[in-house]
Short mmCIF file of all heavy atoms in Angstrom, two decimals:
data_model
loop_
_atom_site.label_atom_id
_atom_site.label_comp_id
_atom_site.label_asym_id
_atom_site.label_seq_id
_atom_site.Cartn_x
_atom_site.Cartn_y
_atom_site.Cartn_z
N ALA A 31 5.74 2.39 -29.51
CA ALA A 31 5.93 0.98 -29.30
C ALA A 31 5.70 0.14 -30.44
O ALA A 31 6.46 -0.73 -30.77
CB ALA A 31 5.14 0.61 -28.00
N SER A 35 8.50 -2.13 -32.71
CA SER A 35 8.40 -3.66 -32.58
C SER A 35 8.01 -4.31 -33.95
O SER A 35 8.09 -5.47 -34.15
CB SER A 35 7.36 -4.04 -31.58
OG SER A 35 6.08 -3.53 -31.72
N PRO A 39 12.91 -0.95 -40.08
CA PRO A 39 12.87 0.16 -41.02
C PRO A 39 14.06 0.20 -42.04
O PRO A 39 13.89 0.72 -43.08
CB PRO A 39 12.83 1.38 -40.10
CG PRO A 39 13.50 0.94 -38.82
CD PRO A 39 12.95 -0.51 -38.63
N TRP A 66 16.37 3.34 -26.05
CA TRP A 66 15.02 3.66 -26.48
C TRP A 66 14.49 4.97 -25.79
O TRP A 66 13.68 5.67 -26.39
CB TRP A 66 14.13 2.52 -26.08
CG TRP A 66 13.89 2.26 -24.60
CD1 TRP A 66 14.42 1.49 -23.71
CD2 TRP A 66 12.89 3.00 -23.80
NE1 TRP A 66 13.93 1.56 -22.57
CE2 TRP A 66 12.96 2.48 -22.53
CE3 TRP A 66 11.84 3.96 -24.06
CZ2 TRP A 66 12.07 2.85 -21.60
CZ3 TRP A 66 11.07 4.41 -23.05
CH2 TRP A 66 11.18 3.86 -21.80
N PRO A 67 15.01 5.29 -24.57
CA PRO A 67 14.47 6.65 -24.11
C PRO A 67 14.89 7.83 -24.96
O PRO A 67 14.16 8.73 -25.16
CB PRO A 67 15.06 6.79 -22.70
CG PRO A 67 15.41 5.36 -22.23
CD PRO A 67 15.72 4.64 -23.46
N LEU A 106 -17.04 12.13 -46.14
CA LEU A 106 -17.87 10.97 -46.00
C LEU A 106 -18.48 10.92 -44.71
O LEU A 106 -19.73 10.52 -44.65
CB LEU A 106 -16.87 9.79 -46.32
CG LEU A 106 -17.57 8.34 -46.21
CD1 LEU A 106 -18.79 8.29 -47.16
CD2 LEU A 106 -16.55 7.29 -46.54
N ALA A 110 -22.54 11.02 -43.81
CA ALA A 110 -23.16 10.04 -42.99
C ALA A 110 -23.87 10.58 -41.74
O ALA A 110 -24.90 10.11 -41.34
CB ALA A 110 -22.12 8.87 -42.69
N SER A 118 -32.60 9.92 -37.70
CA SER A 118 -32.73 9.36 -36.29
C SER A 118 -33.71 10.34 -35.38
O SER A 118 -34.44 9.84 -34.45
CB SER A 118 -31.45 9.39 -35.65
OG SER A 118 -30.78 10.65 -35.46
N VAL A 127 -43.26 8.68 -29.07
CA VAL A 127 -44.57 9.26 -28.87
C VAL A 127 -45.76 8.21 -29.32
O VAL A 127 -46.87 8.32 -28.96
CB VAL A 127 -44.80 10.51 -29.61
CG1 VAL A 127 -43.76 11.55 -29.01
CG2 VAL A 127 -44.76 10.48 -31.02
N ARG A 128 -45.34 7.21 -30.19
CA ARG A 128 -46.10 6.22 -30.64
C ARG A 128 -45.61 4.91 -30.48
O ARG A 128 -45.24 4.11 -31.39
CB ARG A 128 -46.52 6.43 -32.13
CG ARG A 128 -47.34 7.69 -32.40
CD ARG A 128 -48.75 7.60 -32.00
NE ARG A 128 -49.41 8.87 -32.46
CZ ARG A 128 -49.65 9.93 -31.80
NH1 ARG A 128 -49.06 9.85 -30.50
NH2 ARG A 128 -50.33 10.87 -32.09
N LYS A 135 -42.82 -0.12 -34.45
CA LYS A 135 -42.26 -1.44 -34.39
C LYS A 135 -41.41 -1.77 -35.67
O LYS A 135 -40.40 -2.47 -35.56
CB LYS A 135 -43.43 -2.44 -34.29
CG LYS A 135 -44.19 -2.41 -32.93
CD LYS A 135 -45.34 -3.46 -32.88
CE LYS A 135 -45.96 -3.24 -31.57
NZ LYS A 135 -47.25 -4.14 -31.46
N VAL A 145 -28.08 -3.06 -36.94
CA VAL A 145 -26.92 -3.35 -36.14
C VAL A 145 -26.46 -4.74 -36.41
O VAL A 145 -25.22 -4.99 -36.24
CB VAL A 145 -27.47 -3.30 -34.61
CG1 VAL A 145 -26.49 -3.85 -33.68
CG2 VAL A 145 -27.86 -1.92 -34.22
N LEU A 155 -24.59 -4.89 -50.94
CA LEU A 155 -26.08 -4.96 -51.28
C LEU A 155 -26.38 -3.72 -52.01
O LEU A 155 -27.08 -3.79 -53.11
CB LEU A 155 -26.78 -5.11 -50.04
CG LEU A 155 -28.34 -5.21 -50.25
CD1 LEU A 155 -28.78 -6.32 -51.21
CD2 LEU A 155 -29.17 -5.24 -49.00
N LEU A 163 -27.58 -3.70 -60.71
CA LEU A 163 -28.91 -3.98 -61.22
C LEU A 163 -29.68 -2.90 -61.86
O LEU A 163 -30.18 -2.96 -63.04
CB LEU A 163 -29.77 -4.68 -60.05
CG LEU A 163 -31.18 -5.13 -60.33
CD1 LEU A 163 -31.05 -6.26 -61.38
CD2 LEU A 163 -31.94 -5.66 -59.20
N ARG A 172 -14.47 8.55 -56.05
CA ARG A 172 -14.97 9.85 -55.45
C ARG A 172 -15.72 10.71 -56.47
O ARG A 172 -16.37 11.62 -56.11
CB ARG A 172 -13.85 10.62 -54.71
CG ARG A 172 -14.34 11.68 -53.79
CD ARG A 172 -13.22 12.36 -53.18
NE ARG A 172 -13.60 13.46 -52.25
CZ ARG A 172 -12.86 14.42 -51.64
NH1 ARG A 172 -11.56 14.42 -52.00
NH2 ARG A 172 -13.31 15.29 -51.06
N GLU A 174 -16.15 13.60 -59.55
CA GLU A 174 -15.70 14.93 -59.84
C GLU A 174 -15.59 15.75 -58.42
O GLU A 174 -16.65 15.81 -57.71
CB GLU A 174 -16.48 15.62 -60.85
CG GLU A 174 -15.96 17.10 -61.29
CD GLU A 174 -16.81 17.71 -62.19
OE1 GLU A 174 -17.82 17.09 -62.67
OE2 GLU A 174 -16.60 18.90 -62.46
N TRP A 181 -9.24 22.95 -50.75
CA TRP A 181 -9.92 21.84 -50.22
C TRP A 181 -10.77 21.22 -51.28
O TRP A 181 -11.62 21.87 -51.98
CB TRP A 181 -10.88 22.20 -49.10
CG TRP A 181 -11.62 21.19 -48.35
CD1 TRP A 181 -12.73 20.56 -49.00
CD2 TRP A 181 -11.39 20.51 -47.20
NE1 TRP A 181 -13.20 19.56 -48.08
CE2 TRP A 181 -12.46 19.52 -46.98
CE3 TRP A 181 -10.49 20.70 -46.14
CZ2 TRP A 181 -12.56 18.80 -45.88
CZ3 TRP A 181 -10.61 20.00 -45.04
CH2 TRP A 181 -11.54 19.02 -44.88
N ALA A 198 -22.00 7.07 -48.19
CA ALA A 198 -22.51 7.77 -47.01
C ALA A 198 -23.75 6.96 -46.28
O ALA A 198 -23.81 6.69 -45.10
CB ALA A 198 -22.95 9.17 -47.30
N ILE A 213 -32.35 8.40 -28.88
CA ILE A 213 -33.30 9.53 -28.89
C ILE A 213 -34.68 9.02 -28.32
O ILE A 213 -35.34 9.66 -27.57
CB ILE A 213 -33.40 10.13 -30.25
CG1 ILE A 213 -32.14 10.76 -30.71
CG2 ILE A 213 -34.59 11.05 -30.28
CD1 ILE A 213 -32.08 11.28 -32.08
N LEU A 218 -38.53 9.08 -24.07
CA LEU A 218 -39.43 8.42 -23.14
C LEU A 218 -39.17 8.82 -21.69
O LEU A 218 -40.20 8.99 -20.91
CB LEU A 218 -39.36 6.84 -23.29
CG LEU A 218 -39.90 6.24 -24.59
CD1 LEU A 218 -39.53 4.79 -24.64
CD2 LEU A 218 -41.36 6.41 -24.63
N TYR A 225 -42.68 17.94 -15.37
CA TYR A 225 -42.92 19.20 -16.16
C TYR A 225 -43.72 18.95 -17.38
O TYR A 225 -44.37 19.80 -17.85
CB TYR A 225 -41.62 19.90 -16.45
CG TYR A 225 -40.78 19.27 -17.53
CD1 TYR A 225 -40.88 19.59 -18.83
CD2 TYR A 225 -39.71 18.28 -17.15
CE1 TYR A 225 -40.02 18.96 -19.84
CE2 TYR A 225 -38.96 17.66 -18.09
CZ TYR A 225 -39.18 17.99 -19.42
OH TYR A 225 -38.39 17.43 -20.43
N GLY A 280 -9.03 5.72 -44.45
CA GLY A 280 -9.17 4.30 -44.25
C GLY A 280 -8.59 3.45 -45.27
O GLY A 280 -7.92 2.35 -45.04
N PHE A 283 -4.89 3.54 -45.07
CA PHE A 283 -4.49 2.77 -43.90
C PHE A 283 -4.41 1.26 -44.40
O PHE A 283 -3.37 0.63 -44.04
CB PHE A 283 -5.32 2.85 -42.71
CG PHE A 283 -5.11 1.96 -41.50
CD1 PHE A 283 -3.95 2.28 -40.76
CD2 PHE A 283 -5.83 0.81 -41.23
CE1 PHE A 283 -3.73 1.41 -39.75
CE2 PHE A 283 -5.51 0.00 -40.20
CZ PHE A 283 -4.55 0.31 -39.31
N GLU A 285 -3.97 0.19 -47.29
CA GLU A 285 -2.76 -0.03 -48.30
C GLU A 285 -1.39 -0.05 -47.47
O GLU A 285 -0.56 -0.70 -47.85
CB GLU A 285 -2.77 1.32 -49.09
CG GLU A 285 -1.69 1.24 -50.18
CD GLU A 285 -1.46 2.42 -51.00
OE1 GLU A 285 -2.22 3.43 -50.59
OE2 GLU A 285 -0.82 2.40 -52.04
N VAL A 287 -1.11 -1.17 -44.39
CA VAL A 287 -0.92 -2.38 -43.80
C VAL A 287 -0.59 -3.38 -44.64
O VAL A 287 0.27 -4.27 -44.36
CB VAL A 287 -2.27 -2.74 -43.05
CG1 VAL A 287 -2.33 -4.26 -42.56
CG2 VAL A 287 -2.69 -1.90 -41.95
N ILE A 305 -8.24 12.90 -33.29
CA ILE A 305 -9.67 13.24 -33.63
C ILE A 305 -10.65 12.79 -32.47
O ILE A 305 -11.51 13.50 -32.11
CB ILE A 305 -10.01 12.62 -35.07
CG1 ILE A 305 -9.26 13.33 -36.13
CG2 ILE A 305 -11.59 12.72 -35.26
CD1 ILE A 305 -9.29 12.61 -37.36
N ASP A 314 -18.09 17.41 -24.74
CA ASP A 314 -18.26 17.86 -23.33
C ASP A 314 -18.52 19.45 -23.21
O ASP A 314 -19.33 19.74 -22.31
CB ASP A 314 -16.90 17.60 -22.54
CG ASP A 314 -16.78 16.00 -22.30
OD1 ASP A 314 -17.86 15.42 -22.53
OD2 ASP A 314 -15.58 15.69 -22.10
#
Side-chain angles (χ1 to χ4, degrees):
S35 60
W66 74 263
L106 178 57
S118 65
V127 300
R128 295 285 186 269
K135 293 177 181 178
V145 172
L155 176 62
L163 183 60
R172 194 180 180 193
E174 181 184 354
W181 181 286
I213 293 174
L218 286 174
Y225 73 88
F283 177 73
E285 181 185 15
V287 171
I305 292 172
D314 287 343

